[in-house]
Amino acid sequence: PPPRTLEAIPNNLPVQFTSFVGREDDVATALEMLESSQLLTLLGPGGTGKTRLSVQVAAEAADRFKDGVYFVPLASVTDPDLIAPTILSTLGVAPASAAVPPSDQLIRFLSDKAMLLVLDNFEQLVEGAGLVGDLCAASVHSRILVSSRVPLRLRGEQELAIAPLQVASPESDIDVLIKNESVHLFVERAQAVQPGFALTEDNARAVVELVRRLDGLPLAIELAVSKLKLLSVEALLERLEARSLTGGPRDAPERHQTMWNAIAWSEEALSEPCRRLFARLSVFLGGARLEEIERVCGPELGLDVLEGLATLVDTSLVLADRANGRFRMLQVIREYAAERLDESGEAGEVGRRHTLAYLDLIETAAPELIRRDRKMWAEALDADHDNLRSATARCVAAGDADGAFRFAWSMWRYWQIRGHLHEARRRVDEILAMPGGEPRRRAKAIEALGGIAWWQGDADACTASYDEALRLQRGLGDDREIANALYNAGLMEAFFRRETDRALEMLEEAMAIYTRLGDEGGLADVHWGRGNMALITADDPREGIPDMERCIELYRAVGNVFGEGWGRYELGEAYRRSGDAAASRSHYIRGIELLYGTGEISAAVFFLLAFAGLSRLEGDDHRGAVLAGAAWALGERSGVDLVSIDAARIEGVEKETLEAFTGDLADAYRVGRAMTPDEAVAFALGTG
């Protein structure tokens, strides 16, 4: 509720029939900024709650302004010449003679006042912003609080960007969720529509997903709540579409009747080229870098892309993440823009350019995912994962087998290192079901499926895929690809079929080809494969150490951090299995730094289990149970199950063994399962 001092201060602040939810930090920041600045602009897209926030700030600041606090609604004003008359009317000041311009009359009236003016919805009047600057100069004890989608660009103006409300994680407890701003708003407004409504264990996940789907936009949440008269939260979530957000209060401004109108109100003020850019930007999911935006949206736009983006950012239709060099739309705004794109007839061509842009990105990134800058590239792909997904899906929907095969091959390593194996398997299975395509591209997509199945510990799918890839590559006749297929198939023969002699034959054939080609990276792979075979078949696990040391040397020479990290893992295993705990730990530490230190989730599963085995070797079963619990839980979440096969099994920390624990060891296992990957790795390294 507004402070009691408001009753003693002249004001016309609109009566609020609902409580003010959240935004405590924004209110505090705005109040502080008003202390030092005559002009404060609250910036944000339609529906973020700028108006409601400005009223709350004005109410709490009222006691600073002896001459009053006045709210000036400008939404229906489109002529800048009407700004001054509208403010005068709001203040109850009668018009002066025709000889005195309203702007001059307003300046004179305010010159000796200490007043707070709230100018609401100023964006369509920015051409008249000079009057605001004149008012600030004339009335030094007054303050002006503006809500707008665009800044006024005046000297001395301070800007406060108003973000959507916070959105909670659905895994949070009920007592945490109810304190979350967006959930709190939903529940409070829901209780007005449906008395007795409460957040429960049964509906909490749906409520959180619903407000997440609405990006925490207060207007969108309030419009959605009105549907609770007819639908349950779960049903509302199923039916939710941004354009269905109608049904706001009849006496609300027209632009608030639908989320669509709130967005359209901003779009209508744009130039035609800027509208075209706005529509085209909807093709990006999760935002995009300027490089991709220029390529996808720039052709035949009739506008410099960067200039257009600046306008869209100023109008709050696009959000700029300057730190990461990305631009994005809130979801409901993107959906509106997508409809405009469909109506334009450009959706097909824009989608085609989007697909090609992200195919180029992933094909550029793929070889870098095993090199020194792999973390940087993986993080770049994280930011564009949704764009990569949509581009892949577009290829499948269009029947573009070659494009889909290229995505499958280029994406699979990213999916593996980031622990997206479940998704990877589903998508690559779908892609390989497509007819047609060049045999060489299909062969690489099949190899991708083999790699995914390898990490999943799926022997049948892995062996079938690598057998087929080798058959196709022999037919195509590319020596380097044949050697690579031999290496993959050789590992499969050793690990899954336990056909040691056949595996060695394949690896020796691959080594001969790589030697002839002078391919050090390929030779490193073969040495890694031979070292692994010795580890799982030889009587003395140390027999594989020379091959592992050679593979690390070669991987370093070609800059393959991925290979070096896994070479360190296998060296650590060789020393652990031979009882040398100190040497084992040294290689494990270096390996996990190289792999998990560059963001590889799959590596964390293996190394945590290896550290668990090492703890057991050193007699610390409690520590081993914690680490093993963390490893198996992470393996389940990421889909990495290669650790379950016999060749990779670490005695004493098998899942079935751990599940049978009781007492303190069972407790330790559960503690480990609850750890985050970062917590578990820090624990393994003794730093957490």
Side-chain angles (χ1 to χ4, degrees), residues 443-492:
K444 297 305 287 183
I446 290 171
E447 181 183 336
L449 178 59
I452 294 162
W454 166 271
W455 286 95
Q456 290 180 314
D458 184 341
D460 291 340
C462 182
T463 54
S465 297
Y466 281 159
D467 281 346
E468 177 65 6
L470 177 58
R471 185 189 68 79
L472 288 172
Q473 294 295 0
R474 284 195 186 280
L476 291 167
D478 184 317
D479 281 352
R480 184 171 273 102
E481 290 294 351
I482 291 171
N484 176 64
L486 283 164
Y487 161 72
N488 286 327
L491 286 181
M492 172 267 296

Side-chain angles (χ1 to χ4, degrees), residues 285-307:
L285 299 184
R289 302 182 306 168
L290 178 60
E291 181 179 347
E292 278 73 38
I293 292 173
E294 288 181 326
R295 178 172 176 180
V296 174
C297 301
E300 299 178 359
L301 182 62
L303 175 74
D304 177 75
V305 170
L306 189 57
E307 179 184 335

